[in-house]
Amino acid sequence: MKFETVILRGLFVACMLVCGLILAAMVTSRPAPMHLAFTSSIAALLTSAPSSCVVPFVDDMICVRSAG
């Protein structure tokens, strides 16, 4: 075999190995749980929201404003 053929086959094997490892990592990974959705209430979310809309007024837009 020529030197170039050996190098190309080695590169192909290395690329296939890396792609296989990346695919295995994507398939076996589990997403992190969202703790915010279960532990916070609507009132806490509304108090952390800004009191005024930061986008310009649009007719079909709903802007939630907290009391006070």
Side-chain angles (χ1 to χ4, degrees):
M1 259 195 267
K2 291 185 177 181
F3 178 72
E4 292 87 7
T5 306
V6 172
I7 294 297
L8 285 175
R9 283 189 182 180
L11 181 62
F12 177 74
V13 170
C15 289
M16 291 302 289
L17 179 67
V18 168
C19 288
L21 289 173
I22 291 172
L23 180 65
M26 287 191 296
V27 169
T28 60
S29 68
R30 294 194 176 110
M34 291 294 295
H35 297 291
L36 178 65
F38 298 112
T39 60
S40 65
S41 65
I42 297 296
L45 290 174
L46 288 177
T47 56
S48 66
S51 62
S52 64
C53 288
V54 292
V55 293
F57 178 74
V58 179
D59 290 335
D60 61 347
M61 182 184 71
I62 298 173
C63 184
V64 178
R65 297 186 179 176
S66 61

